[in-house]
Each structure stands twice: as C-alpha cells, then as structure tokens.
Amino acid sequence: MRQKKVWKNIRKCAGLYAMLAVPLAWYIIFKYVPMYGLQIAFRKFNPTLGITKSPWAGLTYFKQFFGSYYFTDVLRNTVTLSLFTMLIGFPMPIILALLINEIKNVRFKKLIQNITYMPNFLSVVVIVSMLTLFSNRDYGLFNKIRELFGAAPVDLMSKPAYFQPLYVFSNVWQFMGFNAIIYIAALAGVDQELYEAASIDGASRMQKILHISLPCIMGTILIMFIMRIGSLMSVGFEKVYLMQNSVNLSASEIISTFIYKNGIQKGQFSYSTAVGLFNSVINFTLLVSANYISKKTTDTGLW
C-alpha cells in the first residue's frame, strides 16, 4: 500500500523529477564516478596497466609527502592564505548587504548593487593582469599611492610578503558584490513590521541592524560559514598560479599548484592524487566538525 502511494506521488510530480534527473546525473557522472580513481593514491599507477592492475603501494606516497622538506611550507601557505581570505572576505559581503539594505532610494540601491556585482564577471586573467599593471614599480597605481606617503617604489608582485595581501584584497573586491546577493535576499524576507516597531521605540539605525537585521539572517550566515569552512583548504588554483613567479614562490606555493606541477607537468599521478586526497580529507573533516559544533550550539546546520 505504501509502495503504491510512493509511485502515485512520483507520477504526480513526474515533471519535477525529470528536471531533477539532469543535475543528479551530472553529480553522479562527474562527482561520484571519478571517486573510483582515488585508489591511484594507494597504487604505483602505470597508465599501460590501468588502475586495478597497477601494483599496490599502500601509504607510500602519503609518507613521501609528509616527510618532504616542502610539506610544511606548502601546508602553511595554503592554510594562512585561506584563513586570511576567510577572515576578511567572509564578513565583507554581510556588511555590504546590511549597508545596501539601509539605502531607501531604490534607484541608488540598484546602482550600488550593480557596481559591486560587476567585478564578478571579470576573468581571472584580467584580474591578474590588472594587479600586474597596478603593482609595476615604475608606473603602477599602488606605487604612485606609496610615493604620496614618501615610501620608495617596489615591485609588489615579486615580493613574497605582498603576495597574500594582493590575492586576498583583490579577491574581496571581485566577489564581495556577488556573495552579498544571498544576504540581500535574506534581508528582503525580514518582516518590515519589526523595523516599524523599533522606530516607534526610538531605535537608531545601528540598533535596528544589530537587533533585527543580523539576528534575522543569522541562520543564513551560519550555513554559509559552515560551507566556507568545508572548503578552507581549497584555495583558488587559477589565480594563485597566474600570480606565481620564481621570486614569490616561497609564499605562493599551495597544495593545488603543487598538485598541478607534480601531477600534470611531471606525470606523478599517484603522488599528486595522494596529496589531493589528503587535502580533501581535511576539508571533509572540517565540514563535519563545523556542522556538528553549529548544531550543538545554535541548532543550525547543513544536516
């Protein structure tokens, strides 16, 4: 009886299930099926023999990575760059959304949204080219600003100390408007009667933000924060690789660029797969831990 009811509901919503089939198939084909290849990390992979016939290597490649002299530097660069990006990049869209929500003029509000959203459409190549031009020692904008304060010009892109600030702040500028959209949408769902009641009680704008706007979108903020924690070790490869050079390598070599150089350029497939699996396991552990803590403390989580 229950089975008939299930099939009846499926036939009733056949159109919705048909729409779901396409993204579900995409996830299965491109996300779950490739997991079969993870065993390469535990084998001495030979393309001529295939995955299953390649000799078993166990934890050899993991030990090789953990025992290498560059392990500490690569891991430190990845963690610090990701943390720096999260600490600055995560709250900025929230602040922007709260500020836009306070704008009463609809046309001006849309104008600000469009201006802050537009950098999202620029490609990584364009962004890095802009950074290269702005950082030029002779005519770069950043050095012109430095000269106004009496500082000597310097080639910022070739200095390891400036790599992370350039990456992070350009990242914030590019994606802040796009990331703010979900918070603006959440704020649009806040009951306006709450603001009217606060105005009657004499609350200031800042008090309304702190006691109405922020609490009402806190669930959304927590969900986005958990998802961000889950990708803490996944720093954008393309931008880092384009900004990277032989001079700033000590600060710019991260796990994703390390995997590319060893897996694609050098053909060390088993070694690079082991490093990538290590990175994914850390991300998964952080995601589960963050979700568990959030559920225990705030009763909000992904599952």
Side-chain angles (χ1 to χ4, degrees):
M1 189 70 180
R2 185 178 178 182
Q3 189 176 5
K4 290 182 178 179
K5 188 176 181 181
V6 171
W7 281 108
K8 184 180 179 180
N9 290 331
I10 291 175
R11 287 193 298 269
K12 185 178 179 181
C13 304
L16 295 175
Y17 283 111
M19 292 175 62
L20 178 64
V22 176
L24 186 62
W26 184 89
Y27 264 95
I28 293 173
I29 295 171
F30 295 103
K31 296 295 183 179
Y32 288 96
V33 173
M35 287 184 184
Y36 172 77
L38 288 178
Q39 59 183 298
I40 294 175
F42 306 95
R43 295 180 180 272
K44 190 176 181 181
F45 178 65
N46 187 333
T48 58
L49 297 176
I51 296 177
T52 55
K53 292 184 178 180
S54 296
W56 187 258
L59 300 176
T60 302
Y61 297 107
F62 293 93
K63 293 177 181 177
Q64 181 181 340
F65 179 58
F66 298 151
S68 60
Y69 70 91
Y70 43 73
F71 170 72
T72 304
D73 293 336
V74 172
L75 185 62
R76 183 186 65 247
N77 290 340
T78 304
V79 173
T80 55
L81 184 61
S82 187
L83 282 175
F84 193 11
T85 303
M86 186 179 69
L87 290 174
I88 297 178
F90 184 79
M92 291 305 293
I94 301 172
I95 296 171
L96 177 63
L98 291 170
L99 293 175
I100 290 176
N101 188 59
E102 291 299 312
I103 299 175
K104 303 304 178 185
N105 188 300
V106 178
R107 289 187 177 182
F108 184 62
K109 190 175 185 176
K110 290 182 178 180
L111 177 64
I112 296 298
Q113 282 185 260
N114 289 332
I115 291 174
T116 56
Y117 183 71
M118 284 172 62
N120 179 69
F121 295 100
L122 298 177
S123 70
V124 178
V125 177
V126 172
I127 296 296
V128 176
S129 298
M130 291 171 62
L131 287 175
T132 303
L133 290 172
F134 293 162
S135 302
N136 187 275
R137 179 169 184 158
D138 299 321
Y139 53 80
L141 175 64
F142 297 152
N143 276 305
K144 294 298 181 183
I145 296 174
R146 285 169 56 87
E147 288 177 3
L148 294 176
F149 295 94
V154 61
D155 187 359
L156 301 177
M157 291 290 283
S158 65
K159 297 292 183 181
Y162 293 105
F163 176 82
Q164 289 190 358
L166 286 174
Y167 176 90
V168 171
F169 287 108
S170 61
N171 220 51
V172 171
W173 171 75
Q174 184 179 8
F175 298 113
M176 180 173 61
F178 177 79
N179 293 334
I181 291 175
I182 190 168
Y183 301 113
I184 293 173
L187 287 166
V190 178
D191 190 352
Q192 295 301 310
E193 290 184 0
L194 295 174
Y195 294 109
E196 293 173 3
S199 298
I200 294 173
D201 291 338
S204 64
R205 280 195 171 188
M206 182 56 69
Q207 288 174 325
K208 291 177 186 178
I209 291 173
L210 294 176
H211 299 290
I212 299 176
S213 299
L214 271 176
C216 287
I217 65 170
M218 189 54 67
T220 304
I221 293 173
L222 287 173
I223 293 296
M224 296 302 293
F225 183 72
I226 293 170
M227 294 176 67
R228 181 65 187 87
I229 288 290
S231 60
L232 185 68
M233 299 290 288
S234 301
V235 184
F237 159 77
E238 297 88 353
K239 188 175 180 180
V240 173
Y241 187 71
L242 289 172
M243 291 178 64
Q244 197 175 80
N245 54 59
S246 57
V247 185
N248 65 20
L249 198 62
S250 60
S252 62
E253 187 73 301
I254 58 175
I255 289 178
S256 57
T257 57
F258 180 82
I259 292 172
Y260 171 76
K261 292 175 182 177
N262 284 273
I264 305 298
Q265 295 183 339
K266 296 182 180 180
Q268 298 179 1
F269 303 112
S270 297
Y271 183 49
S272 59
T273 302
V275 177
L277 181 58
F278 161 74
N279 190 64
S280 299
V281 168
I282 293 179
N283 276 335
F284 179 75
T285 304
L286 289 172
L287 176 64
V288 173
S289 301
N291 187 76
Y292 176 79
I293 295 171
S294 179
K295 285 287 288 185
K296 284 291 183 181
T297 56
T298 64
D299 203 32
T300 300
L302 294 175
W303 62 84

